[in-house]
């Protein structure tokens, strides 16, 4: 029996690397309107410490979490995504830039595809 048969829904970790750009709040707002389930998480990973971003994310509370690399890397989020992979707890990982946004029901659509095709690698382009 697949782990997603019988109504169990797969959990998703959304990783967002950031330098603290002005569009970050937009992507967080579009994620907050999604149908998230218990076990989903949104990890915002700063390129070095980002005190303002940390405050904004901490004010949102779960499922939003903030982390950061020790020093800025300037490598367009690659180090932050790699670091986020070590922190993620979801069964599936999604990467999102800090200047993107989600259309209504986007996560719901992704989760439905994961349920329909359990255990297979998935690549989604938004």
């Amino acid at each position: 029996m697949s782990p997603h048969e019988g109504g169990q829904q797969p959990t998703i970790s959304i990783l967002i690397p950031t330098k603290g750009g002005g569009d970050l709040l937009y992507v967080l707002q579009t994620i907050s309107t999604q149908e998230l389930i218990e076990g989903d998480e949104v990890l915002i990973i700063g390129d070095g410490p980002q005190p303002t971003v940390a405050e904004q994310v901490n004010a949102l509370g779960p499922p939003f979490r903030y982390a950061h690399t020790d020093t800025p890397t300037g490598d367009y989020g690659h180090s932050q995504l790699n670091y986020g992979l070590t922190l993620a707890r979801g069964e599936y990982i999604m990467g999102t830039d800090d200047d993107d946004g989600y259309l209504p029901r986007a996560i719901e659509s992704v989760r439905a595809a994961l349920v329909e095709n359990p255990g297979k690698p998935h690549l989604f382009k938004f």
Side-chain angles (χ1 to χ4, degrees), residues 25-93:
L25 291 178
Y26 172 73
V27 71
L28 297 180
Q29 188 275 328
T30 64
I31 292 171
S32 69
T33 65
Q34 299 295 312
E35 185 82 25
L36 300 178
I37 63 170
E38 185 175 338
D40 286 346
E41 62 183 348
V42 183
L43 299 172
I44 298 88
I45 306 115
D47 185 11
Q50 305 285 328
T52 302
V53 173
E55 286 179 29
Q56 293 168 335
V57 172
N58 290 336
L60 292 171
F64 297 88
R65 287 195 302 150
Y66 173 78
H68 63 82
T69 55
D70 291 332
T71 57
T73 62
D75 65 1
Y76 303 100
H78 299 290
S79 295
Q80 292 71 43
L81 287 173
N82 285 335
Y83 179 52
L85 289 173
T86 70
L87 303 174
R89 298 181 215 146
E91 295 172 78
Y92 291 89
I93 307 291

Side-chain angles (χ1 to χ4, degrees), residues 2 12 18 23 36 40 45 48 55 63 80 101 107 111-112 120:
S2 151
I12 298 171
T18 189
D23 291 334
L36 300 178
D40 286 346
I45 306 115
E55 286 179 29
Q80 292 71 43
I107 302 298
R111 196 178 323 273
K120 297 188 175 161

